[in-house]
């Protein structure tokens, strides 16, 4: 646990009592603060009370007297589409609003660091797609190289639930736009931006607000090094803002598909090969085609980002290459879950939007595509250019019929349920094809989250005769 600094003897309100909220309450108490806990959900309040936490009804006006700060869980809106009523009340009362990420960065460093030979470092990863895989891959590379490391944030443990830093340790954080948007302190040593595609637009008031939330990771504290994907205009803009000139190697530009051979420091992947360039010449290369845990161009971009971060931390190319080959990938992200009669079954349930589904569709040549769920604004019209690899689509969930109208001449079948979709795809698939779950939609019409959807797909595949 990271005891929160700066609030000893003060009351701090905590709104939202999920994993991060309860971890925040413990960390505040460990730092000498008096946490005042509340959640709009009676079930969440009952769960917290059952774990021994005292509750404070923040809906009462007198509850805010003497409160030094309000710490908000990431799922609770504070600005768009409209602020939660209790957050609005805190702002009206002049109570500073923060989240656990802000508390982590203000509390991570301790006087014990003066005794260490190598100060602990933080790598923070954000972006629309690939940030979980990139975060896990950096963590894996560090472990394989024998470096002490912890992983937290939007993946694994809550940031305040990890252990205090050790000599030479590297903490790798995955940070969502919900987390970067509100944190009052953001000071990673290395910040990574993978890419940007439209997502969570209602929460951020549009694409500009969404990008601004991601950009805060780089602008608020100023990392020592910035690893930035430049395959979209937003990434190119961010890299331009961070660099003092073309040769400024504090910015490492990464790409999947473009050759980046300028004066600065770059890492890019083309035709299955990763290349590192510095000062106008190539200094290292890795063949990614046989790295089983990272299939497809989108995963090659993740490999570039992780490679760049690891190089910044002093690891050699050969060390990184060895670790890439032992990376098994993450569940629900281009995860191979079975093979039957020469047909591979791939679980990419995390592909909940058009951009991530497009990347999955480009990873394999012949696809039996399982798609659908609770569709997002715009449907799947943006996937039309990527349907040439689809032999047939099997549509499930609330948006199955809407998706069918957008598929044009692509063969398709409305299956409605995952069980029928897996059975039909397995029945019709031929050797050399891939049955791919890449829904391009949220899961909430049939499942509580994308993990449960992916687990159902996996269980059905493993139960095939």
């Amino acid at each position: 646990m990271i005891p929160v600094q700066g609030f000893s003897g003060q009351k701090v309100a905590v709104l939202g009592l999920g994993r991060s909220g309860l971890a925040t309450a413990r960390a505040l108490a460990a730092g000498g603060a008096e946490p005042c806990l509340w959640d709009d959900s009676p079930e969440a309040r009952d769960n917290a009370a059952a774990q021994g936490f005292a509750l404070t009804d923040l809906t009462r006006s007198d509850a805010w007297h003497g409160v030094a700060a309000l710490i908000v869980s990431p799922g609770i809106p504070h600005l768009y589409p409209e602020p939660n009523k209790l957050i609005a009340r805190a702002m009206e009362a002049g109570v500073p609003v923060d989240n656990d990420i802000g508390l982590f960065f203000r509390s991570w460093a301790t006087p014990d660091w003066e005794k260490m030979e190598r100060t602990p470092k933080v790598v923070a990863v954000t972006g629309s797609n690939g940030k979980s895989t990139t975060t896990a891959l950096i963590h894996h590379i560090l472990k394989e190289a024998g470096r002490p490391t912890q992983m937290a944030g939007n993946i694994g443990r809550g940031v305040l639930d990890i252990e205090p830093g050790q000599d030479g340790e590297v903490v790798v954080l995955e940070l969502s736009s919900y987390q970067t948007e509100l944190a009052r302190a953001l000071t990673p040593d290395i910040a990574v931006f993978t890419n940007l595609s439209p997502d969570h637009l209602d929460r951020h008031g549009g694409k500009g607000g969404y990008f601004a939330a991601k950009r805060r990771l780089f602008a608020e504290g100023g990392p020592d090094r910035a690893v930035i994907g430049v395959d979209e205009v937003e990434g190119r803009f961010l890299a331009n803002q961070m660099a003092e000139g073309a040769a400024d190697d504090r910015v490492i530009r990464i790409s999947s598909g473009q050759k980046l051979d300028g004066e600065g420091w770059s890492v890019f992947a083309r035709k299955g090969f990763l290349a590192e360039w510095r000062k106008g010449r190539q200094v290292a290369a890795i063949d990614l085609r046989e790295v089983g845990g990272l299939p497809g161009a989108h995963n090659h971009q993740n490999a570039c980002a992780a490679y760049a971060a690891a190089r910044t931390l002093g690891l050699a190319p050969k060390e990184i290459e060895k670790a890439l080959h032992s990376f098994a990938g993450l569940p629900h992200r281009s995860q191979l879950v079975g093979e039957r009669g020469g047909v591979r079954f791939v679980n990419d349930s995390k592909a909940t939007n058009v951009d991530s589904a497009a990347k999955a569709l480009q990873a394999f040549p012949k696809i039996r595509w399982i798609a659908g769920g609770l569709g997002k604004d715009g449907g799947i019209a943006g996937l039309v250019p990527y349907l040439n690899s689809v032999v047939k689509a099997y549509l499930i969930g609330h948006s199955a019929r809407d998706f069918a109208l957008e598929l044009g001449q692509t063969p398709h079948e409305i299956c409605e349920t995952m069980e029928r979709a897996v059975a039909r795809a397995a029945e019709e698939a031929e050797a050399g094809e891939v049955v791919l779950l890449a829904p391009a939609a949220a899961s909430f019409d049939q499942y509580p989250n994308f993990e449960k959807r992916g687990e159902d797909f996996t269980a059905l595949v493993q139960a095939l005769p």
Side-chain angles (χ1 to χ4, degrees):
M1 181 191 301
I2 307 296
V4 173
Q5 300 179 34
F7 291 107
S8 181
Q10 297 179 289
K11 290 199 298 184
V12 179
V14 178
L15 179 61
L17 302 180
R19 182 193 66 171
S20 66
L22 294 180
T24 297
R26 294 187 188 96
L28 283 164
E34 178 188 342
C36 306
L37 278 60
W38 191 250
D39 195 295
D40 293 336
S41 163
E43 292 80 7
R45 297 198 298 267
D46 290 345
N47 178 57
Q51 295 186 47
F53 290 100
L55 300 172
T56 300
D57 187 351
L58 296 178
T59 65
R60 296 172 49 183
S61 57
D62 60 351
W64 293 94
H65 179 70
V67 171
L70 171 64
I71 311 304
V72 179
S73 292
I76 303 174
H78 58 271
L79 184 57
Y80 302 117
E82 62 180 355
N84 174 279
K85 291 179 180 179
L86 294 180
I87 296 177
R89 181 173 293 180
M91 291 190 290
E92 290 167 3
V95 174
V97 180
D98 203 350
N99 61 16
D100 62 334
I101 305 302
L103 295 183
F104 168 82
F105 278 110
R106 70 181 284 168
S107 306
W108 174 233
T110 68
D112 292 341
W113 287 19
E114 295 178 5
K115 305 171 187 176
M116 298 180 183
E117 292 185 10
R118 294 183 299 171
T119 300
K121 293 184 180 295
V122 175
V123 180
V125 181
T126 195
S128 296
N129 299 303
K131 57 184 179 292
S132 295
T133 297
T134 299
T135 301
L137 183 54
I138 295 169
H139 179 60
H140 174 78
I141 292 169
L142 290 166
K143 283 199 302 182
E144 291 296 297
R147 294 283 295 271
T149 179
Q150 298 183 76
M151 181 173 66
N154 205 42
I155 185 174
R157 302 163 73 181
V159 291
L160 294 172
D161 201 32
I162 66 174
E163 300 304 316
Q166 302 177 38
D167 194 327
E169 184 171 42
V170 180
V171 170
V172 191
L173 303 180
E174 177 193 341
L175 299 182
S176 72
S177 58
Y178 291 4
Q179 293 169 310
T180 58
E181 183 178 41
L182 189 60
R184 297 171 72 93
L186 284 168
T187 54
D189 298 279
I190 303 167
V192 179
F193 176 86
T194 57
N195 50 57
L196 194 88
S197 62
D199 208 359
H200 311 303
L201 300 190
D202 59 335
R203 173 67 181 263
H204 298 295
K207 190 176 181 181
Y210 178 49
F211 174 56
K214 301 287 190 185
R215 182 182 174 277
R216 290 189 77 247
L217 181 62
F218 299 80
E220 291 300 306
D224 295 334
R225 276 257 161 69
V227 177
I228 301 175
V230 295
D231 288 336
E232 296 87 26
V233 64
E234 292 86 0
R236 293 190 290 273
F237 172 81
L238 181 59
N240 181 271
Q241 285 208 315
M242 296 298 294
E244 294 296 329
D248 186 353
D249 68 0
R250 294 174 304 169
V251 175
I252 308 176
R253 292 168 172 83
I254 63 166
S255 172
S256 176
Q258 299 182 62
K259 183 178 182 180
L260 306 175
D261 55 359
E263 298 176 39
W265 193 352
S266 62
V267 180
F268 60 89
R270 294 180 72 202
K271 298 180 180 179
F273 287 86
L274 179 152
E276 177 187 1
W277 282 65
R278 298 189 75 170
K279 298 179 180 178
R281 66 184 185 88
Q282 183 173 312
V283 296
I286 296 174
D287 185 350
L288 298 175
R289 294 173 299 177
E290 299 303 318
V291 179
L294 296 166
H298 61 303
N299 273 312
H300 292 175
Q301 183 189 56
N302 300 334
C304 289
Y307 176 97
R311 290 286 283 141
T312 291
L313 292 165
L315 275 66
K318 290 296 183 184
E319 284 184 283
I320 301 170
E321 181 176 8
K322 182 180 178 182
L324 292 179
H325 282 278
S326 61
F327 182 65
L330 286 179
H332 318 298
R333 297 161 177 87
S334 296
Q335 177 193 18
L336 180 65
V337 297
E339 189 165 349
R340 174 177 173 270
V343 176
R344 289 179 292 164
F345 293 80
V346 175
N347 167 22
D348 205 338
S349 183
K350 184 63 168 64
T352 59
N353 58 38
V354 164
D355 187 70
S356 54
K359 289 178 168 61
L361 291 173
Q362 294 174 76
F364 309 101
K366 295 181 179 180
I367 296 171
R368 301 277 173 173
W369 179 34
I370 299 176
L374 192 61
K376 299 187 176 182
D377 289 346
I380 56 168
L383 291 176
V384 171
Y386 309 104
L387 297 179
N388 290 338
S389 60
V390 176
V391 179
K392 183 176 177 180
Y394 304 82
L395 304 175
I396 64 173
H398 178 270
S399 298
R401 285 167 177 78
D402 292 335
F403 280 17
L405 295 174
E406 299 180 82
L407 287 175
Q409 299 302 310
T410 302
H412 62 271
E413 179 178 335
I414 294 176
C415 296
E416 296 188 346
T417 67
M418 183 72 75
E419 182 177 11
R420 178 164 175 78
V422 170
R424 291 289 296 139
E427 180 184 333
E428 296 184 343
E430 300 177 358
E433 296 179 345
V434 170
V435 175
L436 171 68
L437 171 64
S443 60
F444 306 123
D445 57 332
Q446 295 179 315
Y447 302 93
N449 50 51
F450 73 84
E451 292 95 342
K452 291 297 183 184
R453 177 171 59 190
E455 289 167 7
D456 188 26
F457 172 78
T458 301
L460 290 166
V461 168
Q462 293 175 349
L464 288 170

